[in-house]
Amino acid sequence: MPSFTEENYLKAIYHLSESGTKPVLTNDLSDAMKTKAASATDMVKKLALKKFVSYKKYYGVQLTAKGQAEALLVIRKHRLWETFLVQKLDFAWDEVHEVAEQLEHIQSKRLIEKIDSFLDHPKTDPHGDPIPDSNGRLPVQKTIACNSLKVGQQATITAVKDSDALLLKLLDKIGAYPGKKIKILSREHYDDSTLALLEGKKVFLSKEVSQNILVEE
Ligand SMILES: [Zn+2]
C-alpha cells in the first residue's frame, strides 16, 4: 500500500503525463509537488523500487500498469468525495477540493464503493471531471481549453479546473458550469482576453480564466 505522499506523487505523474501516455521529467514533477528536484528524484526511485513507475535518467518517469491503476484509484476517490460533499453535505464547489485531498487517502475499498452506489454511480464530479469506474476505466473526453476556440465558435463547457477556489468563485458568479453553452464573440490580440456569450449572457474572460475552462466542440 503506498503512503499518502507516494499516492500524491502517482497522481501528479498521472496528470503531468497526460493520462499516462508521456514520460514526465523529474523537474516538472518537483515543480508540481512544490519540492526540490533532488527530493522528487528520491521519491521516483522509491516508486520505481515498488514497481509503480519506470524511471530512466534524462528520459523521465512513466507509470507502470500497477502505478496507473493506483493513480486512477486515488483520482476516483477524490472525485467521488467531491461529488458526495457537494450533493449530500451542501458544500460549495470551491470548498471541496481541499477536503477531498485528505479524504482521497482513505484506504477502505468498501467505503468508496458504498459512496459510489449511494451517489448512484456518478460519471463526473462537480467540476465536470470524469470519475474513473471501479475497474479504473476513465472515459476519454475530447476537450480543449476555452481559449483555443476561434471567434464565432460555439462549444459546451465540460469541466473547469478544480483546485483554485478563487477561480471557482468567479466561474460561479458568471455561471460558467459544466453543461453550459459558450460562444466566442471576440478576442483581444493584446492579452488574449475574450468576450463570450454564455447561455445568452455576455461575459468577459481573461486569458487565465478561459485557459482553465475545458470545452467540447
Ligand atoms: Zn479536486
Side-chain angles (χ1 to χ4, degrees), residues 78 82 97 100 127 162:
H78 182 103
E82 287 191 338
H97 179 76
H127 312 108
D162 74 340

Side-chain angles (χ1 to χ4, degrees), residues 78-79 82 96-98 100-101 125 127 129 162-163:
H78 182 103
R79 293 180 179 169
E82 287 191 338
V96 293
H97 179 76
E98 286 308 312
E101 287 285 278
D125 74 12
H127 312 108
D129 288 316
D162 74 340
S163 56

Side-chain angles (χ1 to χ4, degrees), residues 92-98 127 160-177 205-206 208-210 212-213:
W93 77 339
D94 57 275
E95 296 172 324
V96 293
H97 179 76
E98 286 308 312
H127 312 108
V160 297
K161 187 186 173 194
D162 74 340
S163 56
D164 189 329
L166 288 177
L167 170 73
L168 288 168
K169 276 201 169 79
L170 188 156
L171 295 176
D172 188 40
K173 202 156 77 182
I174 61 172
Y177 308 113
L205 304 170
S206 70
E208 217 174 330
V209 168
S210 62
N212 287 306
I213 301 177

